[in-house]
């Protein structure tokens, strides 16, 4: 029996502002939530999806913070950092 878990992804207004301000791609943010390298649970509903990325021979992390309720993931914020040890 195949069951498909359909997870809705929505963006909070704050996330949309942050993504625009930080010049990030909404598609990239969604991709990281769907296929992260690592997920850290911060609280009962809050999670942090992390992916290691490389650009111009430099490594950095894209971190997407989201809340998961029922079958919806609401993206709260997203950012890029070079402080890899701090987050991994």
């Amino acid at each position: 029996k195949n069951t498909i878990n359909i997870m809705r992804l929505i963006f909070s207004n704050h996330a949309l502002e942050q993504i625009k301000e930080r010049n990030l791609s909404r598609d990239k943010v969604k991709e990281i939530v769907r296929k992260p390298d690592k997920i850290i649970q911060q609280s009962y509903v809050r999670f942090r999806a992390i992916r290691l990325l490389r650009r111009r021979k430099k490594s950095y992390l894209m971190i997407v913070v989201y809340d998961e309720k029922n079958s919806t993931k609401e993206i709260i914020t997203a950012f890029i950092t070079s402080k890899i040890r701090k987050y991994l």
Side-chain angles (χ1 to χ4, degrees):
K1 184 178 167 183
N2 286 343
T3 58
I4 299 170
N5 184 7
I6 304 296
M7 185 62 72
R8 281 181 59 227
L9 277 182
I10 59 172
F11 290 84
S12 69
N13 287 333
H14 176 75
L16 292 173
E17 286 168 18
Q18 295 295 307
I19 288 164
K20 188 177 179 185
E21 202 174 278
R22 295 170 178 158
N23 206 17
L24 304 174
S25 145
R26 271 198 223 181
D27 287 340
K28 192 71 174 173
V29 169
K30 288 193 270 187
E31 180 189 317
I32 287 165
V33 171
R34 289 191 178 111
K35 294 180 183 171
D37 290 336
K38 185 175 183 178
I39 295 175
I40 296 169
Q41 189 164 359
Q42 292 184 240
S43 71
Y44 185 66
V45 296
R46 183 148 295 176
F47 297 84
R48 190 183 277 175
I50 301 171
R51 167 98 60 91
L52 183 66
L53 302 170
R54 290 185 66 77
R55 185 185 287 169
R56 296 187 206 97
K57 297 183 181 176
K58 281 191 172 179
S59 294
Y60 61 94
L61 300 175
M62 184 180 261
I63 298 174
V64 182
V65 178
Y66 64 91
D67 288 349
E68 189 171 323
K69 294 177 194 134
N70 306 320
S71 58
T72 301
K73 290 182 179 178
E74 181 180 13
I75 296 165
I76 306 302
T77 193
F79 59 95
I80 285 177
T81 181
S82 58
K83 295 183 176 114
I84 293 168
R85 284 202 183 123
K86 180 178 176 182
Y87 292 97
L88 282 182

